[in-house]
């Protein structure tokens, strides 16, 4: 491959991502569905095959997953995770029951094996933290009483992924019962050790990475993350989980500065990740899975609304807040694509990629609408009726005649 051809393709892809992102912003939507559609249009089976840059985009997609999980981990401290785990564990259990089970059953009904069905359970289970956080900010709901409930559910899902991904990776690799048990034991041990180190020695780790020069801080955090992610992947714990744990171990000012420095890189490589998933999915396979994907999307949108309603009710939130909490949780995105990507590349089920692409496209578009309109629609259907605003009397009407 000639370097000029690679540069031309990469330049066209990145410029195209910029245009798609601007269009999405103008429409008030997440750019994720636009990136997926762009990948579908220019991938294998699309209108134009950009095969010259496949290797680079594949590596970029791996880095995108690592950076997504790293910055997610940087948002939490180990203490906050432990506190949230204790407080929101019941809501997390209800979330898994209502949203993972439909995906698993759908996989079996579609004739997929148990492993592919387990992967689909993860796709339907995990909400998109990135999309939901942006929507809550755009709607001005960050200060609402129900928002901490929504965030607690998302934190529990993130923690659950630290256990789910190693198990799924082991099953997709075809390891036996002993090998799978060993992988899970390694994952549990790794998570426990990292949480212990973060709680007891997180300050020292952060201090070792700290630097007044942004360049050295960026290189230190990024280098450590890629190193740990690679080792975790070798141990079949999942590179994503390794990156998430590094983020948890870093705290304080170092975490804040690292977020600022790494956010542009995260945005770039995350966009490449979504494009890569689209590039590797044959658009010709979408029509055959669109109907079942849409049906599952409707079911799991309703179960997410029920999850948010239950969690908010348990926290003592009034009905309107419960409706808003449920509507906010509907969007699926980055984690669903990560899980589907693992399953698709393993070859366990060839329909997983197109099915997940259709499913995520539907719900990542529907999520902002349910966040905005779930409360007024459900309030009209189930109450309570809005309290009418008091009528202000004109002082002139009170003047004696």
């Amino acid at each position: 491959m000639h370097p000029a051809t690679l540069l031309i393709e990469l330049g066209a892809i990145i410029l195209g991502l910029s245009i798609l992102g601007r269009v999405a912003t103008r429409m008030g939507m997440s750019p994720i569905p636009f990136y997926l559609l762009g990948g579908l249009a220019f991938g294998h089976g699309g209108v134009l095959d950009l095969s010259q840059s496949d290797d680079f985009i594949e590596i970029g997609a791996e880095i995108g997953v690592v950076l997504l999980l790293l910055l997610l981990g940087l948002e939490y401290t180990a203490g906050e995770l432990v506190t949230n785990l204790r407080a929101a564990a019941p809501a997390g259990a209800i979330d898994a029951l209502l949203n993972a089970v439909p995906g698993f059953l759908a996989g079996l009904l579609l004739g997929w094996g148990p492993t592919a069905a387990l992967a689909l359970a993860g796709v339907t289970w995990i909400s998109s933290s990135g999309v939901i956080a942006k929507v809550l900010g755009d709607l001005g709901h960050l200060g609402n009483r129900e928002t901490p409930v929504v965030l607690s559910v998302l934190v529990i899902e993130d923690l659950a992924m630290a256990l789910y991904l190693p198990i799924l990776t082991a099953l997709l690799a075809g390891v036996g019962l002993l090998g799978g048990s060993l992988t899970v034991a390694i994952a549990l041990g790794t998570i426990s050790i990292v949480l212990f180190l973060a709680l007891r020695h997180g300050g020292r780790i952060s201090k070792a990475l700290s630097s007044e020069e942004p360049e050295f801080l960026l290189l230190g955090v990024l280098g450590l993350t890629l190193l740990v992610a690679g080792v975790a992947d070798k141990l079949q714990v999942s590179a994503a989980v390794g990156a998430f744990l590094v983020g948890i171990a870093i705290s304080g000012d170092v975490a804040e500065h690292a977020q600022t420095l790494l956010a542009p890189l995260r945005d770039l490589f995350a966009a490449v990740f979504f494009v890569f998933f689209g590039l590797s999915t044959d658009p010709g396979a979408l029509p055959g899975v669109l109907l079942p994907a849409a049906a599952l999307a409707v079911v799991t949108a309703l179960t997410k609304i029920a999850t948010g309603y239950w969690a908010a009710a348990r926290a003592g939130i009034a009905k309107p807040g419960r409706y808003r909490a449920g509507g906010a949780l509907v969007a699926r995105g980055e984690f669903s694509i990560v899980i589907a990507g693992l399953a698709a590349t393993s070859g366990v089920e060839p329909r997983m990629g197109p099915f997940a692409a259709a499913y995520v496209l539907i719900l990542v578009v529907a999520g902002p609408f349910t966040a905005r309109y779930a409360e007024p629609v459900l309030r009209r259907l189930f109450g309570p009726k809005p309290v009418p605003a008091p009528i202000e009397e004109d002082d002139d009407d009170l003047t004696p005649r």
Side-chain angles (χ1 to χ4, degrees), residues 189-214:
T190 302
I191 293 168
S192 301
I193 291 170
V194 171
L195 287 176
F196 174 80
L197 291 174
L199 283 168
R200 293 294 182 89
H201 307 289
R204 294 181 180 179
I205 297 172
S206 300
K207 186 176 180 180
L209 292 169
S210 179
S211 174
E212 294 182 0
E213 293 292 335

Side-chain angles (χ1 to χ4, degrees), residues 9 13 35-58 274-287 344-345 350 353-354 357:
E9 284 198 4
I13 290 170
Y35 296 157
L36 287 172
L37 289 173
L40 288 169
F42 295 102
H44 304 293
V47 296
L48 181 63
D49 187 1
L50 300 178
S51 58
Q52 295 298 312
S53 52
D54 275 358
D55 292 341
F56 182 90
I57 293 176
E58 184 174 0
F274 291 118
V275 168
F276 174 72
F277 187 81
L279 288 172
S280 58
T281 301
D282 183 1
L286 286 176
T345 54

Side-chain angles (χ1 to χ4, degrees), residues 76-97:
Y76 311 119
T77 65
E80 289 172 343
L81 284 177
V82 172
T83 301
N84 275 296
L85 183 60
R86 291 172 179 169
I94 293 295
D95 182 31
L97 179 65

Side-chain angles (χ1 to χ4, degrees), residues 79 108 111 146 181 222 224 260 265:
L108 296 180
E146 74 276 359
S181 301
L222 184 58
L224 177 63
T260 303
L265 279 178

Side-chain angles (χ1 to χ4, degrees), residues 92-119:
I94 293 295
D95 182 31
L97 179 65
L98 291 181
N99 297 286
V101 172
F104 184 80
L105 294 177
L108 296 180
L109 288 174
L110 288 168
W112 301 357
T115 301
L118 182 64

Side-chain angles (χ1 to χ4, degrees), residues 78 121 151 163 174 203 229 261 296 298 362 364:
L151 297 178
L163 293 177
L261 292 170
L296 185 59
V298 171
I362 293 168
V364 80

